[in-house]
Amino acid sequence: MGCRQISVIVLFLWVFLFPDKTVVSSAVEEKGTVFVYGRAAVGTVDEDFICATLDWWPPQKCDYGTCAWDHASILNLDLNNTIFQNAIREFAPLKIRIGGTLQDLVIYETPDQKQPCLPFTQNTSLLFGYTQGCLSMHRWNQLNDFFSKTGAKVIFGLNALSGRNVQPNGEAVGAWDYTNAESFIRYIAQNNHTVDGWELGNELCGSGVGTRVAASQYATDTIALRNIVNRVYNDVSPMPLVIGPGGFFDAAWFTEYLNKAEDSLNATTRHIYDLGPGVDQHLIEKILNPSYLDQEANEFRSLKNIINNSSTKAVAWVGEAGGAYNSGRNLVSNAFVYSFWYLEQLGMASVYDTKTYCRQSLIGGNYGLLNTTNFTPNPDYYSALIWRRLMGRKALFTSFSGTKKIRSYAHCARQSKGITVLLMNLDNTTTVVAKVELNNTFSLRHSKIAATSQLPWVSNGETQREEYHLTAKDGDLHSRTMLLNGKALQVSSAGDIPPLEPIHVNSTEPITIAPYSIVFVHMPSVVVPACA
């Protein structure tokens, strides 16, 4: 089997039959090598790279006969829930993007707004299936207090359809009427509320979802938003970011938009639902297929190239990513198996210099980091929190020699001058025993292939590393309970998030990655030039 060394050993055998007929067993051990290229960072992320979304969907939002939103809307969330507050505080800070499909139907009840402030009402004959809805300033004040109390950094998505007419061909024409939006922005500034970024519109770029706006017009409207922010915050530092377009990637559209938006834009956002509809019966097969996971690199790479080749100063963000659209799938997108997809996305985004990654959603639908009804964390919450605590800003190019079922990423460590390595085993039968080697050059696709001579590294005298092994309860990929080093992660009776404690392993020992498991390895003694 080429360079792979495989030994079949009689350790033990366990078999679980899952609802999707997945069989988990282990009687095979395979060796492999993680190569970390530590001369320089391949990408750099924001300090608050981890981001999650809050949406506008009312309880009546249903997909495929399932209504998964309950009271998880911006307008009806229980902001006094202790678990909810503590879950956000743990990230110190968590970036929260307020937005979603219905944001382009929202009216803001500012003092000069003459229309009555009414809730969204379902009407299938209308665009997006709902009437306009209203954000009252009373509710906004509650939200502002909540964000201030929890230390969240807020990105607010503005209604970008105001003033436009939707044509029979699906195109929304006319300039953005920013009167109400500017009034809302002024209200926030005058009351010393903090919004860290203003994003224009949701999924109106390219072919759009429901309707679309031409790139040239969107660029003009983005410049108008920049002018508003400059006027309102002319004596404020730092000034809020201007962000757009908040939709699905279309290379030609994004190229035109970024070139014509000039210097008005701080970050350009795209959305990712690469797994298809939540009703898809093959979601887990896609998540566990390395070739399928690799495909999203094409769009990360394409957007990075467009930014580099344009005059824009904007950086790339993922503004919304739920994997499976239409609210995800119960016991998949809120279960352990989804962490393979989610952490793969965080790793890939970092390598391609994506500064922020916003998960759909913080709460709501079947893809929330938190349980929609009781706010307790789903497995992906803990995956995100461990990433936040261990992975620093600098991404290091990483490769794995051995089975193709191992996914590998590495960053400069957040807690030391060492490195943190992330390894995920997508195989259900093979335990992988891996060593880490350090090389001095790397090669991304379409770049010159480089040599991989060993890189000298500095040891700071530490003899142990920290390991965080994540597995599903009872080995069930559909489980909503995650184990850390064999112990279930559960909130306390007081609503506190549990401590995330590693095991300590001798640095000379190889790393063991069990079947269907995820391992974060903090190696404080490995100090490479990129992290020194």
Side-chain angles (χ1 to χ4, degrees), residues 39-81:
R39 183 67 67 188
V42 65
T44 305
V45 302
D46 285 343
E47 176 67 21
D48 47 7
F49 171 68
I50 297 291
C51 168
T53 67
L54 290 175
D55 214 310
W56 295 93
W57 290 119
Q60 294 76 24
K61 161 68 171 171
C62 303
D63 300 282
Y64 319 118
T66 300
C67 306
W69 285 87
D70 199 10
H71 283 66
S73 165
I74 291 296
L75 299 177
N76 58 29
L77 263 170
D78 178 6
L79 303 179
N80 295 314
N81 185 277

Short mmCIF file of all heavy atoms in Angstrom, two decimals, residues 39-81:
data_model
loop_
_atom_site.label_atom_id
_atom_site.label_comp_id
_atom_site.label_asym_id
_atom_site.label_seq_id
_atom_site.Cartn_x
_atom_site.Cartn_y
_atom_site.Cartn_z
N ARG A 39 7.61 27.81 8.49
CA ARG A 39 8.45 28.97 8.18
C ARG A 39 7.65 30.26 8.18
O ARG A 39 8.12 31.30 8.66
CB ARG A 39 9.12 28.77 6.81
CG ARG A 39 10.07 29.87 6.42
CD ARG A 39 11.31 29.92 7.29
NE ARG A 39 12.16 28.74 7.10
CZ ARG A 39 13.21 28.46 7.85
NH1 ARG A 39 13.51 29.26 8.86
NH2 ARG A 39 13.93 27.38 7.62
N ALA A 40 6.43 30.21 7.62
CA ALA A 40 5.58 31.41 7.55
C ALA A 40 4.12 30.99 7.56
O ALA A 40 3.79 29.86 7.18
CB ALA A 40 5.90 32.22 6.29
N ALA A 41 3.25 31.88 7.99
CA ALA A 41 1.82 31.60 8.00
C ALA A 41 1.28 31.60 6.57
O ALA A 41 1.71 32.41 5.74
CB ALA A 41 1.07 32.63 8.84
N VAL A 42 0.34 30.71 6.30
CA VAL A 42 -0.30 30.68 4.99
C VAL A 42 -1.55 31.55 4.97
O VAL A 42 -2.00 32.00 3.93
CB VAL A 42 -0.63 29.23 4.58
CG1 VAL A 42 -1.66 28.61 5.51
CG2 VAL A 42 -1.09 29.15 3.14
N GLY A 43 -2.10 31.81 6.13
CA GLY A 43 -3.28 32.66 6.26
C GLY A 43 -3.35 33.24 7.66
O GLY A 43 -2.77 32.67 8.60
N THR A 44 -4.04 34.35 7.81
CA THR A 44 -4.21 34.99 9.12
C THR A 44 -5.67 35.33 9.32
O THR A 44 -6.31 35.92 8.43
CB THR A 44 -3.36 36.27 9.23
OG1 THR A 44 -2.00 35.95 8.94
CG2 THR A 44 -3.45 36.86 10.62
N VAL A 45 -6.22 34.95 10.46
CA VAL A 45 -7.64 35.19 10.75
C VAL A 45 -7.77 36.30 11.78
O VAL A 45 -6.81 36.69 12.43
CB VAL A 45 -8.32 33.90 11.25
CG1 VAL A 45 -8.19 32.79 10.22
CG2 VAL A 45 -7.77 33.45 12.59
N ASP A 46 -9.00 36.79 11.93
CA ASP A 46 -9.28 37.79 12.95
C ASP A 46 -9.14 37.18 14.34
O ASP A 46 -9.33 35.97 14.53
CB ASP A 46 -10.70 38.34 12.81
CG ASP A 46 -10.85 39.30 11.64
OD1 ASP A 46 -9.83 39.80 11.15
OD2 ASP A 46 -12.00 39.55 11.24
N GLU A 47 -8.85 38.02 15.31
CA GLU A 47 -8.83 37.57 16.70
C GLU A 47 -10.17 36.96 17.09
O GLU A 47 -10.24 35.96 17.80
CB GLU A 47 -8.50 38.75 17.63
CG GLU A 47 -8.53 38.43 19.11
CD GLU A 47 -7.44 37.47 19.56
OE1 GLU A 47 -6.41 37.35 18.84
OE2 GLU A 47 -7.61 36.85 20.61
N ASP A 48 -11.24 37.55 16.58
CA ASP A 48 -12.60 37.03 16.83
C ASP A 48 -13.10 36.31 15.57
O ASP A 48 -14.19 36.61 15.05
CB ASP A 48 -13.54 38.15 17.25
CG ASP A 48 -13.43 39.39 16.36
OD1 ASP A 48 -12.71 39.34 15.34
OD2 ASP A 48 -14.05 40.40 16.69
N PHE A 49 -12.33 35.38 15.09
CA PHE A 49 -12.63 34.61 13.88
C PHE A 49 -13.96 33.87 13.99
O PHE A 49 -14.74 33.82 13.04
CB PHE A 49 -11.48 33.61 13.67
CG PHE A 49 -11.70 32.58 12.59
CD1 PHE A 49 -11.74 32.94 11.26
CD2 PHE A 49 -11.80 31.23 12.92
CE1 PHE A 49 -11.92 31.99 10.26
CE2 PHE A 49 -11.97 30.27 11.93
CZ PHE A 49 -12.03 30.65 10.61
N ILE A 50 -14.23 33.30 15.17
CA ILE A 50 -15.47 32.54 15.36
C ILE A 50 -16.65 33.50 15.47
O ILE A 50 -16.66 34.41 16.29
CB ILE A 50 -15.39 31.67 16.62
CG1 ILE A 50 -14.27 30.63 16.49
CG2 ILE A 50 -16.74 30.98 16.88
CD1 ILE A 50 -14.54 29.54 15.47
N CYS A 51 -17.64 33.24 14.65
CA CYS A 51 -18.83 34.09 14.57
C CYS A 51 -20.04 33.18 14.43
O CYS A 51 -19.94 32.07 13.91
CB CYS A 51 -18.69 35.02 13.35
SG CYS A 51 -20.17 35.93 12.85
N ALA A 52 -21.18 33.62 14.91
CA ALA A 52 -22.42 32.86 14.74
C ALA A 52 -23.56 33.83 14.46
O ALA A 52 -23.47 35.02 14.79
CB ALA A 52 -22.72 32.02 15.98
N THR A 53 -24.61 33.33 13.85
CA THR A 53 -25.70 34.20 13.40
C THR A 53 -26.94 34.10 14.27
O THR A 53 -27.21 33.06 14.88
CB THR A 53 -26.11 33.86 11.95
OG1 THR A 53 -26.69 32.55 11.94
CG2 THR A 53 -24.90 33.87 11.02
N LEU A 54 -27.67 35.19 14.31
CA LEU A 54 -29.04 35.20 14.84
C LEU A 54 -29.94 35.63 13.70
O LEU A 54 -29.64 36.58 12.98
CB LEU A 54 -29.16 36.16 16.03
CG LEU A 54 -28.45 35.73 17.32
CD1 LEU A 54 -28.56 36.82 18.38
CD2 LEU A 54 -29.03 34.42 17.86
N ASP A 55 -31.06 34.94 13.56
CA ASP A 55 -31.93 35.11 12.39
C ASP A 55 -33.26 35.72 12.79
O ASP A 55 -33.55 35.92 13.98
CB ASP A 55 -32.14 33.74 11.71
CG ASP A 55 -32.26 33.85 10.20
OD1 ASP A 55 -33.06 34.68 9.73
OD2 ASP A 55 -31.56 33.09 9.49
N TRP A 56 -34.07 36.00 11.77
CA TRP A 56 -35.37 36.65 11.97
C TRP A 56 -36.55 35.70 11.90
O TRP A 56 -37.70 36.12 12.11
CB TRP A 56 -35.57 37.74 10.91
CG TRP A 56 -34.60 38.87 10.98
CD1 TRP A 56 -33.41 38.98 10.32
CD2 TRP A 56 -34.73 40.07 11.76
NE1 TRP A 56 -32.78 40.16 10.63
CE2 TRP A 56 -33.57 40.86 11.52
CE3 TRP A 56 -35.69 40.54 12.64
CZ2 TRP A 56 -33.37 42.09 12.13
CZ3 TRP A 56 -35.50 41.79 13.23
CH2 TRP A 56 -34.35 42.54 12.97
N TRP A 57 -36.33 34.43 11.57
CA TRP A 57 -37.45 33.53 11.31
C TRP A 57 -38.41 33.40 12.50
O TRP A 57 -37.98 33.12 13.61
CB TRP A 57 -36.94 32.13 10.96
CG TRP A 57 -36.26 32.02 9.63
CD1 TRP A 57 -34.97 31.64 9.40
CD2 TRP A 57 -36.84 32.26 8.34
NE1 TRP A 57 -34.69 31.63 8.06
CE2 TRP A 57 -35.82 32.01 7.37
CE3 TRP A 57 -38.10 32.66 7.90
CZ2 TRP A 57 -36.03 32.15 6.01
CZ3 TRP A 57 -38.31 32.81 6.53
CH2 TRP A 57 -37.30 32.55 5.61
N PRO A 58 -39.72 33.54 12.25
CA PRO A 58 -40.72 33.34 13.30
C PRO A 58 -40.99 31.85 13.51
O PRO A 58 -40.51 31.01 12.75
CB PRO A 58 -41.95 34.05 12.73
CG PRO A 58 -41.80 33.95 11.25
CD PRO A 58 -40.32 34.01 10.98
N PRO A 59 -41.75 31.48 14.54
CA PRO A 59 -42.03 30.06 14.81
C PRO A 59 -42.71 29.35 13.64
O PRO A 59 -42.60 28.12 13.52
CB PRO A 59 -42.95 30.11 16.03
CG PRO A 59 -42.65 31.41 16.69
CD PRO A 59 -42.32 32.36 15.58
N GLN A 60 -43.40 30.10 12.77
CA GLN A 60 -44.13 29.49 11.66
C GLN A 60 -43.22 29.01 10.53
O GLN A 60 -43.67 28.36 9.59
CB GLN A 60 -45.14 30.49 11.08
CG GLN A 60 -46.27 30.88 12.02
CD GLN A 60 -45.84 31.86 13.10
OE1 GLN A 60 -44.87 32.59 12.93
NE2 GLN A 60 -46.57 31.86 14.22
N LYS A 61 -41.93 29.31 10.61
CA LYS A 61 -40.98 28.87 9.58
C LYS A 61 -40.83 27.35 9.65
O LYS A 61 -40.39 26.80 10.66
CB LYS A 61 -39.63 29.55 9.82
CG LYS A 61 -38.42 28.89 9.15
CD LYS A 61 -38.43 29.00 7.64
CE LYS A 61 -37.10 28.52 7.07
NZ LYS A 61 -37.13 28.39 5.60
N CYS A 62 -41.21 26.67 8.57
CA CYS A 62 -41.15 25.21 8.53
C CYS A 62 -40.48 24.76 7.24
O CYS A 62 -40.60 25.42 6.20
CB CYS A 62 -42.55 24.59 8.61
SG CYS A 62 -43.49 25.09 10.08
N ASP A 63 -39.77 23.64 7.31
CA ASP A 63 -39.12 23.05 6.14
C ASP A 63 -39.37 21.55 6.14
O ASP A 63 -39.10 20.88 7.16
CB ASP A 63 -37.61 23.32 6.17
CG ASP A 63 -37.29 24.81 6.18
OD1 ASP A 63 -37.36 25.43 5.10
OD2 ASP A 63 -36.98 25.33 7.27
N TYR A 64 -39.88 21.04 5.03
CA TYR A 64 -40.11 19.60 4.87
C TYR A 64 -41.00 19.05 5.99
O TYR A 64 -40.81 17.95 6.48
CB TYR A 64 -38.78 18.85 4.84
CG TYR A 64 -37.70 19.53 4.04
CD1 TYR A 64 -36.53 19.97 4.64
CD2 TYR A 64 -37.87 19.79 2.67
CE1 TYR A 64 -35.54 20.62 3.92
CE2 TYR A 64 -36.88 20.44 1.93
CZ TYR A 64 -35.73 20.85 2.56
OH TYR A 64 -34.75 21.51 1.85
N GLY A 65 -41.97 19.88 6.42
CA GLY A 65 -42.92 19.44 7.44
C GLY A 65 -42.43 19.57 8.86
O GLY A 65 -43.13 19.18 9.80
N THR A 66 -41.23 20.13 9.05
CA THR A 66 -40.68 20.29 10.40
C THR A 66 -40.48 21.78 10.69
O THR A 66 -39.91 22.51 9.89
CB THR A 66 -39.32 19.57 10.52
OG1 THR A 66 -39.51 18.19 10.26
CG2 THR A 66 -38.73 19.76 11.91
N CYS A 67 -40.97 22.20 11.86
CA CYS A 67 -40.86 23.60 12.27
C CYS A 67 -39.80 23.68 13.38
O CYS A 67 -40.08 23.36 14.53
CB CYS A 67 -42.20 24.13 12.75
SG CYS A 67 -43.54 23.89 11.53
N ALA A 68 -38.60 24.12 13.02
CA ALA A 68 -37.45 23.98 13.91
C ALA A 68 -36.96 25.29 14.51
O ALA A 68 -35.87 25.32 15.09
CB ALA A 68 -36.31 23.30 13.14
N TRP A 69 -37.73 26.36 14.40
CA TRP A 69 -37.22 27.65 14.86
C TRP A 69 -37.76 28.09 16.21
O TRP A 69 -37.10 28.82 16.94
CB TRP A 69 -37.47 28.72 13.80
CG TRP A 69 -36.51 28.56 12.68
CD1 TRP A 69 -36.66 27.75 11.58
CD2 TRP A 69 -35.21 29.13 12.58
NE1 TRP A 69 -35.53 27.80 10.79
CE2 TRP A 69 -34.61 28.64 11.38
CE3 TRP A 69 -34.47 30.00 13.37
CZ2 TRP A 69 -33.33 29.01 10.97
CZ3 TRP A 69 -33.20 30.37 12.96
CH2 TRP A 69 -32.65 29.87 11.78
N ASP A 70 -38.97 27.65 16.55
CA ASP A 70 -39.53 27.94 17.87
C ASP A 70 -39.36 29.44 18.18
O ASP A 70 -39.64 30.28 17.33
CB ASP A 70 -38.88 27.06 18.93
CG ASP A 70 -39.70 26.97 20.22
OD1 ASP A 70 -40.85 27.43 20.21
OD2 ASP A 70 -39.18 26.46 21.22
N HIS A 71 -38.87 29.77 19.36
CA HIS A 71 -38.66 31.17 19.73
C HIS A 71 -37.16 31.49 19.69
O HIS A 71 -36.53 31.80 20.70
CB HIS A 71 -39.24 31.46 21.12
CG HIS A 71 -40.73 31.59 21.10
ND1 HIS A 71 -41.57 30.54 20.80
CD2 HIS A 71 -41.55 32.67 21.31
CE1 HIS A 71 -42.83 30.95 20.84
NE2 HIS A 71 -42.84 32.24 21.14
N ALA A 72 -36.60 31.37 18.48
CA ALA A 72 -35.17 31.62 18.30
C ALA A 72 -34.92 32.84 17.43
O ALA A 72 -33.81 33.06 16.96
CB ALA A 72 -34.50 30.39 17.68
N SER A 73 -35.95 33.64 17.21
CA SER A 73 -35.83 34.83 16.38
C SER A 73 -35.23 36.00 17.16
O SER A 73 -35.37 36.08 18.40
CB SER A 73 -37.21 35.22 15.85
OG SER A 73 -37.22 36.53 15.34
N ILE A 74 -34.62 36.91 16.44
CA ILE A 74 -34.18 38.18 17.02
C ILE A 74 -35.30 38.82 17.82
O ILE A 74 -35.08 39.45 18.86
CB ILE A 74 -33.76 39.15 15.89
CG1 ILE A 74 -32.49 38.66 15.20
CG2 ILE A 74 -33.56 40.56 16.42
CD1 ILE A 74 -31.30 38.65 16.09
N LEU A 75 -36.52 38.63 17.36
CA LEU A 75 -37.67 39.34 17.94
C LEU A 75 -38.26 38.65 19.16
O LEU A 75 -39.00 39.28 19.91
CB LEU A 75 -38.76 39.52 16.87
CG LEU A 75 -38.36 40.34 15.65
CD1 LEU A 75 -39.50 40.39 14.63
CD2 LEU A 75 -37.94 41.75 16.05
N ASN A 76 -37.96 37.36 19.37
CA ASN A 76 -38.62 36.67 20.48
C ASN A 76 -37.71 35.81 21.35
O ASN A 76 -38.18 35.10 22.23
CB ASN A 76 -39.79 35.81 19.96
CG ASN A 76 -39.36 34.79 18.92
OD1 ASN A 76 -38.22 34.31 18.94
ND2 ASN A 76 -40.27 34.43 18.02
N LEU A 77 -36.40 35.85 21.11
CA LEU A 77 -35.45 35.10 21.94
C LEU A 77 -35.55 35.50 23.41
O LEU A 77 -35.71 36.69 23.73
CB LEU A 77 -34.03 35.35 21.46
CG LEU A 77 -33.39 34.34 20.52
CD1 LEU A 77 -32.07 34.91 19.99
CD2 LEU A 77 -33.15 33.01 21.21
N ASP A 78 -35.39 34.51 24.28
CA ASP A 78 -35.34 34.79 25.72
C ASP A 78 -33.93 35.26 26.07
O ASP A 78 -33.01 34.45 26.24
CB ASP A 78 -35.69 33.51 26.50
CG ASP A 78 -35.61 33.71 28.01
OD1 ASP A 78 -35.40 34.86 28.45
OD2 ASP A 78 -35.75 32.72 28.75
N LEU A 79 -33.78 36.55 26.20
CA LEU A 79 -32.46 37.12 26.43
C LEU A 79 -32.01 36.99 27.88
O LEU A 79 -30.86 37.30 28.21
CB LEU A 79 -32.46 38.60 26.02
CG LEU A 79 -32.87 38.88 24.57
CD1 LEU A 79 -32.84 40.39 24.30
CD2 LEU A 79 -31.96 38.16 23.59
N ASN A 80 -32.89 36.52 28.74
CA ASN A 80 -32.56 36.37 30.16
C ASN A 80 -32.09 34.96 30.51
O ASN A 80 -31.74 34.70 31.66
CB ASN A 80 -33.78 36.72 31.03
CG ASN A 80 -34.16 38.19 30.90
OD1 ASN A 80 -33.30 39.07 30.95
ND2 ASN A 80 -35.45 38.46 30.73
N ASN A 81 -32.06 34.06 29.52
CA ASN A 81 -31.66 32.69 29.79
C ASN A 81 -30.18 32.63 30.21
O ASN A 81 -29.31 33.12 29.49
CB ASN A 81 -31.90 31.82 28.56
CG ASN A 81 -31.61 30.36 28.83
OD1 ASN A 81 -30.45 29.94 28.76
ND2 ASN A 81 -32.63 29.60 29.14
#
